[in-house]
Amino acid sequence: MDALSLVIFDVDGTLVDSQDFIVAAMSAAFDQIGRPPPPRAEVLAITGLSLPQALVRLAPDLDGPDLEATAAVYRASFVRLRAAQGGEANAPLYPGARAAIEALHAEPELLLGVATGKARRGLDHTLAAHDLDRFFVTRQTADRHPSKPHPAMIEAALAETGVDRSRAVMVGDTTFDIDMAAAAGIAAIGVSWGYHPAQALIGAGAAAVIGDFAELAPAVAQIWDDTA
């Protein structure tokens, strides 16, 4: 039997285009605590970090009760916006995402996982909304691990699946994803349609940066051929 392999996906900015929800919820959170909302580009640049770390990047003087209060308002705003706009299905999958997931899932001995800055509740909403639940055998979330780029999420995914790190690949749109993969000792593939530029992903050590989901399976195969 061939050795098991694992492809781990980030969610926001990689599989799902949730930027409008994220920016609107962050603006609402800052408005409620009486601060001007951060620029859209700055909000998207920290997407992928756990919420407390993201907020500190946007407002370094936030701490203690203020940080906790802002995080609570963000979560409530996100849930309210999601409900008002008809749910997570209105944060669409990027073109080709489903086809790529289905094709990888069909490969014998290849497992799929998720490592995301979302909390588990938010991830479950997203996967259910897009009918993706059945594809991912390991799901690592920010409320159960240290923030990216700490390698804990990947380490947990490897432990749960029994996959050797030489046969695992992280797919993400930010340098946080690439740095997390490097910290865990696995390869990483960047995607160019997300929230960090392709050159930054390459600079962080991505083995490849793809511009279309159709390029994913060949990029994964190339990495494993190179390490065989």
Side-chain angles (χ1 to χ4, degrees):
M1 184 175 68
D2 293 337
L4 289 174
S5 301
L6 176 64
V7 177
I8 306 169
F9 289 92
D10 171 57
V11 177
D12 294 315
T14 300
L15 294 178
V16 177
D17 186 3
S18 50
Q19 58 183 300
D20 289 342
F21 279 168
I22 293 169
V23 172
M26 194 65 74
S27 294
F30 273 70
D31 182 65
Q32 190 155 326
I33 63 170
R35 292 176 179 238
R40 183 184 185 90
E42 291 184 13
V43 173
L44 296 179
I46 52 80
T47 299
L49 294 175
S50 298
L51 183 55
Q53 286 75 14
L55 288 169
V56 169
R57 292 279 188 105
L58 294 172
D61 60 323
L62 275 179
D63 59 12
D66 287 341
L67 179 59
E68 293 175 10
T70 307
V73 173
Y74 173 88
R75 293 187 188 99
S77 298
F78 194 97
V79 170
R80 184 175 63 254
L81 289 163
R82 182 175 63 201
Q85 296 183 33
E88 292 272 5
N90 283 312
L93 293 175
Y94 284 102
R98 175 173 294 279
I101 290 168
E102 291 176 347
L104 290 172
H105 185 259
E107 290 291 323
E109 314 303 332
L110 197 159
L111 306 176
L112 301 181
V114 168
T116 176
K118 286 181 174 293
R120 182 57 185 258
R121 180 182 177 186
L123 174 62
D124 289 346
H125 273 292
T126 298
L127 296 183
H130 294 289
D131 191 26
L132 296 176
D133 295 275
R134 66 188 183 276
F135 295 111
F136 300 106
V137 300
T138 181
R139 305 176 186 184
Q140 309 304 325
T141 54
D143 52 341
R144 301 184 181 183
H145 294 285
S147 179
K148 299 175 184 181
H150 193 284
M153 284 196 245
I154 291 177
E155 296 288 357
L158 295 174
E160 287 183 5
T161 58
V163 173
D164 186 85
R165 68 189 68 244
S166 67
R167 297 291 298 179
V169 174
M170 178 72 203
V171 181
D173 70 301
T174 70
T175 57
F176 312 130
D177 299 311
I178 310 305
D179 289 342
M180 178 175 65
I186 73 169
I189 294 172
V191 303
S192 65
W193 54 80
Y195 304 147
H196 287 186
Q199 196 58 43
L201 303 178
I202 293 170
V209 175
I210 60 173
D212 187 283
F213 264 116
E215 302 171 25
L216 180 57
V220 168
Q222 184 63 56
I223 287 173
W224 289 333
D225 286 346
D226 290 345
T227 58

